């Protein structure tokens, strides 16, 4: 099974951009987001898009006992809502409920200026919208949508520089 996993990582990296060594596999987006959530420091602020899918936001809500605060803003206002207190901004590139496409360039630029990490869910976009993992700190993507795979396969990309550690 190891060869199939490696081939899946290679194919996903080819589609999403980047190096297969940056790609991890899991069974669900929420499982992979939870891994990213473990790296959020105690007392930090996470900014999420209002109405975004629970698999992206709920793992951060579970960190309230560590003092992590989750703040919400409309996806169209995410870039303006990022402050120097925002540790991470998490959003779906395309909102599943409305089809709204996030202004990822503006959000990424605002995050870069503030020193804020980015986590982007590509589930509703990868396969038809030509935006991949490049330019974001972390991405998640379930394969059952536009990648036309059965449920139970999800991908996580992280930075190649090792600037933060993911703790499964």
């Amino acid at each position: 099974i190891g060869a199939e996993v490696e081939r899946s990582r290679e194919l996903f990296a080819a589609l999403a951009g980047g190096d297969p060594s940056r790609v991890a596999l899991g069974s669900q987006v929420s499982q992979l987001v939870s891994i990213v959530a473990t790296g959020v420091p105690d007392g930090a602020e996470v900014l999420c898009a209002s109405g975004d899918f629970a698999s992206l936001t709920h793992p951060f809500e579970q960190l309230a006992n560590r003092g992590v605060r989750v703040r919400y803003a409309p996806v169209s206002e995410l870039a303006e809502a990022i402050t120097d207190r925002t540790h991470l901004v998490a959003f779906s590139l395309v909102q599943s409920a409305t089809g709204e496409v996030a202004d990822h360039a503006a959000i990424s630029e605002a995050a870069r200026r503030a020193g804020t990490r980015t986590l982007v869910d590509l589930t509703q976009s990868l396969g038809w919208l030509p935006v991949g993992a490049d330019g974001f700190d972390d991405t998640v993507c379930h394969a059952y949508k536009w990648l036309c795979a059965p449920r139970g396969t999800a991908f996580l990309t992280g930075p190649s520089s090792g600037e933060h550690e993911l703790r499964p």
Side-chain angles (χ1 to χ4, degrees):
I1 198 159
E4 290 85 0
V5 168
E6 288 308 311
R7 183 69 177 135
S8 294
R9 291 174 64 207
E10 291 169 4
L11 291 169
F12 183 81
L15 183 61
D19 188 316
S21 68
R22 290 185 59 205
V23 178
L25 274 77
S27 61
Q28 304 170 21
V29 162
S30 59
Q31 169 199 31
L32 297 174
V33 172
S34 293
I35 294 171
V36 174
T38 65
V40 173
D42 293 352
E45 176 185 277
V46 176
L47 176 63
C48 295
S50 302
D52 215 330
F53 205 69
S55 61
L56 184 59
T57 62
H58 189 68
F60 299 108
E61 295 282 355
Q62 296 306 303
L63 302 177
N65 66 328
R66 292 183 22 215
V68 173
R69 295 173 316 280
V70 179
R71 188 166 55 92
Y72 291 90
V75 71
S76 61
E77 299 172 19
L78 278 178
E80 295 82 14
I82 296 170
T83 71
D84 59 356
R85 295 182 316 271
T86 310
H87 173 76
L88 175 78
V89 58
F91 63 97
S92 294
L93 186 57
V94 175
Q95 296 296 299
S96 65
T98 64
E100 182 178 3
V101 179
D103 185 350
H104 64 91
I107 296 166
S108 294
E109 177 58 24
R112 187 194 60 72
R113 283 194 314 268
T116 298
R117 299 191 56 75
T118 54
L119 169 62
V120 180
D121 187 338
L122 302 174
T123 300
Q124 301 291 337
S125 61
L126 194 65
W128 70 270
L129 188 65
V131 176
D134 290 339
F136 306 118
D137 294 303
D138 299 294
T139 67
V140 290
C141 182
H142 202 294
Y144 74 101
K145 289 287 183 170
W146 297 103
L147 301 185
C148 301
R151 289 187 182 271
T153 303
F155 299 92
L156 165 70
T157 65
S160 56
S161 64
E163 62 206 32
H164 78 295
E165 291 188 29
L166 299 178
R167 296 180 292 265

